[in-house]
Structure formats: structure tokens, C-alpha cells
């Protein structure tokens, strides 16, 4: 299994500002994933963060809005830029240790006012 | 495109009851199916993973079954407790990280 720590767990942000979410895993993993869960919705994959290369973004998500860093095999950050109320969501970091089971962090609950 | 539906959307039961949550998917060519629990405002906790070759998995009071041919999975919770109150999501992996589709979940409330 994997232990995934996310910071912050929740935050209230002003419109137009940016916030960086950190994700730390207790073991080395090749790929880390970032998901968004908007209120009342299911999870949507934002991007895949690979160590040593640019993140791969899913349709509808762009690097300028959601820049991602992956400096090593246990850590990643997701920045939500120029936030608007529509960005109010839970942002979740996840890993797939064995190509089989998905593990999630506790999530970062952002409210944009 | 894989679609995952969970029924019911919400369920309220008295403590001690056995209950079944349903997950259906449109494309039976899956790699595995995973059930998660999500507490309000929190992340997801993995409960059970069923490989495409398996019929069921058990963990404590939880039992998950898989019928690929009919595109269905069920999560059975025995002797429900108030601590089981949460939203339960199923995720269908159709082959690779980009092909994991989540249901919206079933919100369970167990009344003491």
C-alpha cells in the first residue's frame, strides 16, 4: 500500500490568486496523478505527473491553468492558477503502485470566494 | 467510452441492516474494478479491488462481486454501523491510468 500526504487539507482562496498543493508519497513511484472532484460530481483526471518530463494533461485541462511539478519520485505539486469560484473543488493526488490498485491522498478542499 | 452508473444515489438504513450498493458499467472489457469510500470533504480510501478474472472479494463485513458479462458489480455491507456512513464510489479500470472511470457514488447514511 501507499501513504499519500497532501497539503493543504483545505483552504479558502481569493478570486484571482493561485494556490499550490503538495503531494508526498512514502515510496518511490513512477507516475503520480492529479484529479479534481467538483461538488456533486465524480472524479476527473487532470494530468499525469512523470518524474523528469512534462506532465501529460487530459482534454480540457491546460498547463497555464494547472502547472505541475515533479522534482523526484516521491513528490509532486499542482498549482491552481488565477482561481475563480468554478475552481472550488477537492483536488486529489493519487498513485498506482503496481499498475493495479489506485491509492489516493486525503484531498485538498479549495473554496474560492 | 466507458460509463459508470451507481444506484441508488443515496440510501438511508437503520443500524444493523445488511445492504447492497450497485455499480454498472457499459463496456465489459475491463481490467479491474475498485470500490472506494469517501468521507465528507475528504479523499478516497480503497476498500476492495476485484480483478477482471475474479468473481468476488471480501474484507471484513464487506463483500464485492463482479459480473463482467452483465456489466455489474455489487458492494455488500453486512450488519451496517453508523461509522459506515460515507459516500461509496466504484472505479472501473478499462486498461491503464487514463482509462479509469469513476461513478458519482452512493451516499450512505446508517441511522443509530
Amino acid at each position: 500500500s501507499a501513504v499519500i500526504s497532501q497539503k493543504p487539507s483545505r483552504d479558502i482562496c481569493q478570486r484571482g490568486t493561485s494556490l499550490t498543493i503538495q503531494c508526498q508519497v512514502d515510496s518511490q513511484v513512477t507516475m503520480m496523478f492529479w484529479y479534481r472532484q467538483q461538488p456533486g460530481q465524480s472524479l476527473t483526471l487532470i494530468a499525469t505527473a512523470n518524474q523528469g518530463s512534462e506532465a501529460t494533461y487530459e482534454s480540457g485541462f491546460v498547463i497555464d491553468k494547472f502547472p505541475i511539478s515533479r522534482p523526484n519520485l516521491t513528490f509532486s505539486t499542482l498549482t491552481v492558477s488565477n482561481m475563480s469560484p468554478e475552481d472550488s473543488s477537492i483536488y486529489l493526488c493519487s498513485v498506482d503502485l503496481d499498475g493495479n490498485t489506485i491509492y489516493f491522498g486525503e484531498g485538498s478542499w479549495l473554496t474560492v470566494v | 467510452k466507458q460509463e459508470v452508473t451507481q444506484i441508488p444515489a443515496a440510501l438511508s438504513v437503520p443500524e444493523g441492516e445488511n445492504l447492497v450498493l450497485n455499480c454498472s458499467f457499459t463496456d465489459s472489457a475491463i481490467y479491474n474494478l475498485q470500490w472506494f469510500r469517501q468521507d465528507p470533504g475528504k479523499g478516497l480510501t480503497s476498500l476492495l479491488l476485484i480483478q477482471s478474472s475474479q468473481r468476488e472479494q471480501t474484507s471484513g463485513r464487506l463483500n464485492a462481486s463482479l459480473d463482467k458479462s452483465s456489466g455489474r458489480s455489487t458492494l455488500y455491507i453486512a450488519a451496517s454501523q453508523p461509522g459506515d456512513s460515507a459516500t461509496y464510489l466504484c472505479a472501473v479500470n478499462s486498461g491503464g491510468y487514463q482509462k479509469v472511470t469513476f461513478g458519482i457514488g452512493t451516499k450512505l447514511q446508517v441511522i443509530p
Side-chain angles (χ1 to χ4, degrees), chain A residues 37 42 48 58 100 102 106, chain B residues 32 34 38 43 51 98 102-103:
Chain A
Q37 185 181 30
S42 188
T48 303
E58 298 302 305
N100 209 3
I102 306 170
E106 282 289 300
Chain B
N32 60 47
Q34 198 165 350
Q38 184 176 31
Q51 301 293 350
Q98 289 178 311
F102 288 82

Side-chain angles (χ1 to χ4, degrees), chain B residues 76-87:
Chain B
Y76 175 81
I77 302 177
S80 58
Q81 303 171 358
D84 295 330
S85 298
T87 297

Side-chain angles (χ1 to χ4, degrees), chain A residues 4 22 57 62-63 76 84 92:
Chain A
I4 306 171
Q22 300 178 4
Y57 289 84
V62 295
I63 188 171
S76 178
S84 67
L92 296 134

Side-chain angles (χ1 to χ4, degrees), chain A residues 10 31 33 35 37 40-43 45 48 56 58 90 92 99-107 109, chain B residues 31-32 34 36 38 40-46 49 51 89 91 93 97-98 100-105:
Chain A
R10 61 176 58 210
M31 291 191 290
F33 310 101
Y35 284 86
Q37 185 181 30
Q41 302 294 317
S42 188
L43 280 75
L45 181 64
T48 303
T56 304
E58 298 302 305
I90 300 174
L92 296 134
N100 209 3
T101 311
I102 306 170
Y103 297 94
F104 282 89
E106 282 289 300
W109 192 359
Chain B
Y31 186 60
N32 60 47
Q34 198 165 350
F36 294 90
Q38 184 176 31
K42 296 287 191 177
L44 279 67
T45 301
S46 179
L49 171 75
Q51 301 293 350
L89 292 92
N93 186 337
Y97 61 90
Q98 289 178 311
V100 178
T101 306
F102 288 82
I104 291 181

Side-chain angles (χ1 to χ4, degrees), chain B residues 4-13 19-24 35 72-75 77 86-90 103-109:
Chain B
V4 178
T5 304
Q6 290 189 246
I7 295 173
L11 182 63
S12 183
V13 301
L19 58 101
V20 175
L21 307 180
N22 298 291
C23 172
S24 61
W35 281 93
R72 293 175 186 271
S73 176
T74 62
L75 179 67
I77 302 177
T87 297
Y88 291 81
L89 292 92
C90 73
I104 291 181
T106 294
K107 186 174 182 179
L108 173 66
Q109 181 182 23

